[in-house]
Amino acid sequence: MKFKYGFPPQVGCDLSDANRLIENYGRLHVVATLLGLLLVGPCLYLAWSLLWPHSWALGVFDQPPGIFIGTLVGIVIVHEFIHLLALPGSGRGDRSCMGFDPKTHLPYVAYLGELSRPKAVMVAFMPMLVLTLLPFSLAWMVPAPYLPMLSSLSILNGTAASGDVCIIFLLLCKVPRRAVVLGEFYGFRHG
């Protein structure tokens, strides 16, 4: 695994009929932020509030700013490590890259090799599964005092993972079934 400060490394693309998956990253960030704040976050809050009325679904927001920001940063870092673990070889190969983009102030994980469309969808979906959906099933088993922590994890990650939701949508709508994803491109292997 490599670490990079700045935008993810460019990958040479030798796929036939290659196309960019994301044409405008700025637009993706705006759409994902709006999706997260206006739809995903409120829907997750409503789900937690309806299923567990005493879960204090926004418990993390009752904390001092330092604790809230620390919690959010911790969730984002764990989120990216889950992407890394979902990559081929659990992210240990030289094609895996973890980085920080100072322009957007966001960490990221990139894979510089080929992924099938199902594998690319799985890599994008894994943090949502582990940090947003799994807490719903765990909530039945944890003591009540831990529900605010569990619901906060689920809501904050779901809201922050809205970019992944947009990427999954693009993968399913734009990338043909038998195509491969290579960096920011998709297309077909020659031959």
Side-chain angles (χ1 to χ4, degrees):
M1 179 189 67
K2 302 171 188 167
F3 184 82
K4 182 159 184 343
Y5 183 78
F7 202 70
Q10 297 295 315
V11 177
C13 182
D14 61 348
L15 300 174
S16 62
D17 298 325
N19 295 290
R20 283 191 189 280
L21 181 64
I22 300 165
E23 297 293 334
N24 183 335
Y25 281 96
R27 182 173 180 218
L28 175 75
H29 287 254
V30 170
V31 169
T33 300
L34 291 173
L35 177 68
L37 293 175
L38 299 177
L39 183 65
V40 176
C43 286
L44 287 168
Y45 171 76
L46 185 61
W48 277 98
S49 297
L50 290 173
L51 293 173
W52 293 278
H54 301 294
S55 71
W56 297 35
L58 292 178
V60 73
F61 293 103
D62 292 336
Q63 302 300 318
I67 292 176
F68 172 75
I69 291 170
T71 301
L72 186 58
V73 168
I75 289 170
V76 169
I77 291 170
V78 170
H79 174 107
E80 292 304 320
F81 270 106
I82 293 171
H83 279 308
L84 187 68
L85 292 173
L87 290 173
S90 299
R92 290 184 304 247
D94 61 345
R95 293 182 177 179
S96 300
C97 177
M98 189 169 214
F100 181 80
D101 181 12
K103 184 178 177 184
T104 60
H105 304 291
L106 294 172
Y108 62 84
V109 167
Y111 188 67
L112 309 177
E114 289 182 15
L115 295 173
S116 66
R117 184 178 92 157
K119 181 68 173 179
V121 168
M122 189 207 60
V123 169
F125 181 66
M126 198 55 68
M128 182 76 86
L129 176 68
V130 173
L131 299 176
T132 300
L133 301 176
L134 184 61
F136 279 95
S137 60
L138 295 176
W140 299 102
M141 298 176 268
V142 300
Y146 295 103
L147 281 176
M149 183 173 62
L150 208 55
S151 62
S152 296
L153 169 67
S154 174
I155 293 166
L156 288 173
N157 183 72
T159 302
S162 294
D164 293 337
V165 172
C166 292
I167 290 170
I168 292 167
F169 178 79
L170 291 173
L171 285 166
L172 294 175
C173 291
K174 289 177 75 173
V175 179
R177 288 185 189 271
R178 290 185 176 36
V180 295
V181 178
L182 177 59
E184 59 184 311
F185 296 96
Y186 66 91
F188 296 93
R189 180 61 37 219
H190 297 290

